Amino acid sequence: MTTVELLLNAFTTLLVTLDPPGLAPLFLGLTRGMNRQQRKQVALRGSIIAFCILAVFAVFGASILETLGISIGAFRIAGGLMLFAIAFEMIFEKRQERKEKTSEDAITRDHMHNIAVFPLALPLIAGPGAISATILLAGSLPGPVERTELILVIGLCIGVVLLALLIADRLDRLLGVTGRAILTRLLGVILAALSVQFVVDGIKAAFKI
């Protein structure tokens, strides 16, 4: 694939994995009782922290794998399987239930202190799926220029997430229960196809096919 195609693939994979429409109702639940300005501050801080986490993994993720003796082919297979599991949950409405449980536990435990860091930035935005996808994509874009472009793509995807959080109340009303279910399933199917491609590429790399 060309660099443009790889970057387009990166944008699609990250955006689907981040799942902005699915985060909107959870964000409303996390920030219940806050005014619009307070919600804006939480959304902005959480998005910036999530971007920093993913950017670090985009730059140093491959080095971490190399230090641990894990080939990029093996990680592509493992990451692809993980993303497929997330896609499966999205299609059958399991992921939303797990995210809601995570957010509810956090409200009870921390009394909404520092929710921009936990659970908003980690694990709701920059969760295991997004981190795995970032490392996988970074392996396909090894050069410094390509990595810089990947970080810009990450920034663009986080920007979409931030926008979804800022208009969470309107987005939730617009989509409704049926709209969210349809969109989540559609994104799940797309992510499933992308995850299978990661596995195929991993097998090719691991066995030098």
Side-chain angles (χ1 to χ4, degrees):
M1 287 191 287
T2 65
T3 302
V4 175
E5 290 173 329
L6 286 171
L7 290 173
L8 184 59
N9 181 46
F11 177 77
T12 304
T13 302
L14 284 171
L15 195 62
V16 170
T17 307
L18 291 169
D19 187 21
L23 287 171
L26 299 179
F27 178 72
L28 287 177
L30 283 172
T31 57
R32 188 178 291 113
M34 294 185 184
N35 58 41
R36 179 165 292 184
Q37 184 61 31
Q38 290 170 328
R39 279 179 173 167
K40 181 178 179 181
Q41 292 174 359
V42 171
L44 184 59
R45 186 180 178 205
S47 298
I48 291 173
I49 293 170
F51 169 76
C52 292
I53 292 170
L54 295 180
V56 167
F57 276 98
V59 176
F60 299 108
S63 300
I64 294 172
L65 292 181
E66 187 177 342
T67 302
L68 296 173
I70 301 172
S71 70
I72 191 64
F75 192 84
R76 280 177 181 165
I77 295 172
L81 292 173
M82 177 180 285
L83 292 177
F84 186 84
I86 292 174
F88 184 87
E89 290 180 339
M90 290 173 69
I91 294 170
F92 293 99
E93 288 192 323
K94 299 294 183 182
R95 192 184 189 207
Q96 193 73 5
E97 293 175 10
R98 176 164 52 81
K99 279 187 172 183
E100 287 172 357
K101 185 176 185 303
T102 301
S103 63
E104 288 169 4
D105 288 347
I107 293 172
T108 303
R109 206 173 294 131
D110 295 340
H111 305 287
M112 298 186 71
H113 291 165
N114 299 317
I115 63 170
V117 179
F118 178 85
L120 184 57
L122 187 71
L124 292 181
I125 301 178
I131 291 172
S132 299
T134 299
I135 296 177
L136 289 171
L137 294 166
S140 303
L141 299 162
V145 175
E146 289 84 357
R147 289 285 176 87
T148 302
E149 291 173 338
L150 176 59
I151 291 174
L152 291 176
V153 169
I154 292 171
L156 182 60
C157 290
I158 292 294
V160 174
V161 170
L162 176 59
L163 179 62
L165 298 183
L166 293 177
I167 61 171
D169 51 348
R170 282 168 282 180
L171 186 63
D172 193 49
R173 286 197 301 269
L174 177 65
L175 290 175
V177 176
T178 303
R180 285 199 306 273
I182 293 172
L183 185 59
T184 298
R185 282 176 169 81
L186 178 60
L187 293 175
V189 171
I190 294 173
L191 183 59
L194 290 169
S195 65
V196 170
Q197 187 62 53
F198 277 132
V199 173
V200 171
D201 292 342
I203 292 173
K204 288 180 179 178
F207 295 99
K208 295 181 173 56
I209 300 175

